[in-house]
Amino acid sequence: MSAPKFTTMGCRLNAYETEAMKDLAAQAGLSNAVVINTCAVTAEAVRKARQEIRKLRRDNPDAKLIVTGCAAQTEPETFAQMAEVDAVIGNTEKMTPDTWAGLATDFIGDTEAVQVNDIMSVTETAQHLIDGFGTRSRAYVQVQNGCDHRCTFCIIPYGRGNSRSVPAGVIVDQITRLVDKGFNEVVLTGVDLTSWGADLPAQPKLGDLVMRILKLVPDLPRLRISSIDSIEVDENLMQAIATEPRLMPHLHLSLQHGDDLILKRMKRRHLRDDAIRFAEDARKLRPDMTFGADIIAGFPTETEAHFANSLKLVEECHLTWLHVFPYSPRQGTPAARMPQVDGRAIKDRAARLRAAGEAAVTRHLQDQQGRTHNVLLEAPDMGRTEQFTEVRFATEQPVGQIVSAMITGRDGHQLVA
């Protein structure tokens, strides 16, 4: 009886949920199965999911092949029609013990081959299914799921549903257990982190949660926030940036574009000046702050002049780590019906954005030489600074510990200590 194999595609939240599914599948006694947790953020992500499914079937010809995740939620029929697939389960169903019990005890039979219900009807987030996951040094904690916004390019709300928050007390208890287990860093994750609390009594903000964690878990050395929407950052979060050294000086911003007209067509809630102002304010409060950002190249109707504003944003916001997405239409989104940009232009613009990102990383790495950083060790010879920059060590270090190190040089995208 072989244990099920899991493959994860896409975001950190998917990876968190895969760890929870491993526990649920083990409790149910599921065996000889292959589970793929898919992503739907782009059309390319769905194509890669289909490609991976075919490979998994070739490598595991006799196993039950189960498809779940955002692509399964948004396009269940696409995967149900694949000859390689035995079952398709939605994002809510994959977090339910009954689903796995049914798959384990009566595969197909009385169990429906497709179990994907209306994600918009879900009002709660599955809480503390696992106490984080990650390396021996860093744990990821889901505090929120879903999104109430409807950006014109994005399919994710239809895969994740509306925003739901995990109560602060549950989160604090979970982080306390993680610290007791020896984790030195916790990362808060979610689909739309800055909307945390809007559905809870008294409607607390993300900054309230951060301050509460830092106050009630005094032994937690390092707290990180994953991707945020800068226009929704609240006063308490800015205060934490200014006054809490245990909150790490690295923020990943969901910017998407640098031109006001394109931002409006994307149905974003900020303008370019809002993004620049936030970056300036955060760096004034915390001079060592670094930023990552998501930027889309070639959004429908984007001209060369529009694109130039995105390119300028890299320097104007002092961005360091870029996630560049060449635009691809997602069926069912308003942007897919807008006038599309030529594919060659999209590819060229994405390459130019990535080049700007490479130059920004080089400047950042050069600026760190001669400085001393507190580095959290992920492997005997590799760790990350407070700004999440990788550091390579010449001699072995204690994994999971935070060590002070002088930066002596750089090698590629890594610092050397």
Side-chain angles (χ1 to χ4, degrees):
M1 299 285 282
S2 59
K5 301 174 184 176
F6 286 80
T7 296
T8 305
M9 308 183 80
C11 67
R12 195 64 75 172
L13 187 55
N14 250 15
Y16 176 96
E17 290 171 342
T18 292
E19 296 303 308
M21 284 192 287
K22 287 178 182 177
D23 286 353
L24 292 169
Q27 291 164 19
L30 179 66
S31 62
N32 193 29
V34 177
V35 183
I36 177 169
N37 197 7
T38 61
C39 172
V41 70
T42 62
E44 176 68 5
V46 177
R47 186 192 69 78
K48 285 183 176 178
R50 290 169 58 85
Q51 184 181 49
E52 183 66 18
I53 287 166
R54 288 189 283 268
K55 179 180 182 296
L56 289 170
R57 175 50 77 204
R58 288 195 300 272
D59 294 345
N60 304 274
D62 301 321
K64 309 156 186 171
L65 202 154
I66 303 163
V67 181
T68 186
C70 288
Q73 181 69 46
T74 57
E75 302 182 33
E77 65 289 339
T78 296
F79 299 98
Q81 289 166 6
M82 293 182 71
E84 296 86 352
V85 174
D86 293 306
V88 181
I89 60 175
N91 267 337
T92 301
E93 290 74 18
K94 74 182 183 184
M95 296 287 99
T96 306
D98 288 351
T99 300
W100 296 96
L103 291 170
T105 56
D106 182 18
F107 195 75
I108 310 306
D110 293 336
T111 301
E112 295 178 30
V114 178
Q115 298 180 61
V116 181
N117 293 325
D118 178 14
I119 195 79
M120 295 302 176
S121 67
V122 180
T123 57
E124 292 186 355
T125 294
Q127 295 175 16
H128 58 81
L129 287 165
I130 55 169
D131 274 344
F133 81 100
T135 63
R136 281 151 56 190
S137 51
R138 177 182 300 107
Y140 295 83
V141 172
Q142 180 188 359
V143 304
Q144 182 274 339
N145 203 341
C147 184
D148 290 337
H149 309 300
R150 297 295 180 265
C151 298
T152 58
F153 56 83
C154 188
I155 200 75
I156 296 305
Y158 306 98
R160 289 286 178 180
N162 292 318
S163 182
R164 292 100 67 199
S165 307
V166 178
V170 173
I171 297 165
V172 168
D173 288 348
Q174 186 177 7
I175 293 174
T176 300
R177 291 194 297 271
L178 289 165
V179 172
D180 288 345
K181 290 179 180 178
F183 286 95
N184 279 322
E185 183 174 296
V186 165
V187 185
L188 305 183
T189 66
V191 174
D192 181 28
L193 259 189
T194 33
S195 71
W196 179 86
D199 56 323
L200 296 176
Q203 298 185 318
K205 302 285 189 182
L206 181 62
D208 301 323
L209 176 63
V210 167
M211 297 292 268
R212 186 168 177 177
I213 291 168
L214 293 169
K215 179 182 178 181
L216 297 180
V217 195
D219 294 334
L220 172 66
R222 292 162 61 140
L223 179 66
R224 276 191 199 279
I225 302 171
S226 55
S227 183
I228 62 168
D229 206 335
S230 59
I231 198 68
E232 289 187 327
V233 169
D234 60 282
E235 194 175 318
N236 266 352
L237 187 52
M238 295 304 285
Q239 184 183 344
I241 289 170
T243 63
E244 291 286 356
R246 291 186 294 145
L247 178 62
M248 294 296 95
H250 171 260
L251 295 172
H252 191 84
L253 309 178
S254 178
L255 297 182
Q256 310 306 345
H257 211 275
D259 184 85
D260 286 349
L261 181 60
I262 298 298
L263 287 167
K264 288 178 180 176
R265 288 174 177 166
M266 287 179 163
K267 212 173 176 182
R268 299 293 294 166
R269 283 151 294 130
H270 72 274
L271 299 174
R272 67 176 286 111
D273 283 350
D274 296 321
I276 294 167
R277 190 179 310 113
F278 170 79
E280 287 176 348
D281 290 347
R283 282 170 64 89
K284 282 177 187 171
L285 297 173
R286 194 79 177 268
D288 58 344
M289 179 68 73
T290 58
F291 301 108
D294 296 329
I295 301 184
I296 295 173
F299 184 82
T301 76
E302 180 190 76
T303 64
E304 187 62 32
H306 295 146
F307 171 73
N309 281 329
S310 279
L311 210 51
K312 285 190 288 188
L313 202 65
V314 177
E315 289 197 17
E316 289 169 328
C317 284
H318 298 279
L319 304 178
T320 300
W321 315 105
L322 292 193
H323 288 181
V324 176
F325 295 89
Y327 174 79
S328 63
R330 298 296 285 113
Q331 188 176 355
T333 62
R337 301 190 295 272
M338 297 178 186
Q340 304 293 304
V341 175
D342 178 76
R344 287 167 298 183
I346 293 175
K347 189 174 180 180
D348 172 68
R349 290 171 190 174
R352 285 152 65 194
L353 263 177
R354 290 191 180 108
E358 289 288 323
V361 170
T362 298
R363 287 194 297 271
H364 169 70
L365 296 178
Q366 288 173 339
D367 191 44
Q368 304 311 305
Q369 294 187 52
R371 299 190 182 202
T372 298
H373 281 287
N374 292 319
V375 180
L376 179 66
L377 273 297
E378 297 180 12
D381 64 344
M382 195 280 286
R384 290 185 190 267
T385 69
E386 302 92 331
Q387 292 93 353
F388 213 60
T389 311
E390 284 192 7
V391 180
R392 183 67 62 184
F393 288 82
T395 57
E396 287 198 356
Q397 305 292 322
V399 176
Q401 299 304 303
I402 298 171
V403 301
S404 179
M406 168 76 80
I407 304 304
T408 58
R410 66 183 182 92
D411 182 11
H413 281 183
Q414 291 181 323
L415 296 171
V416 176

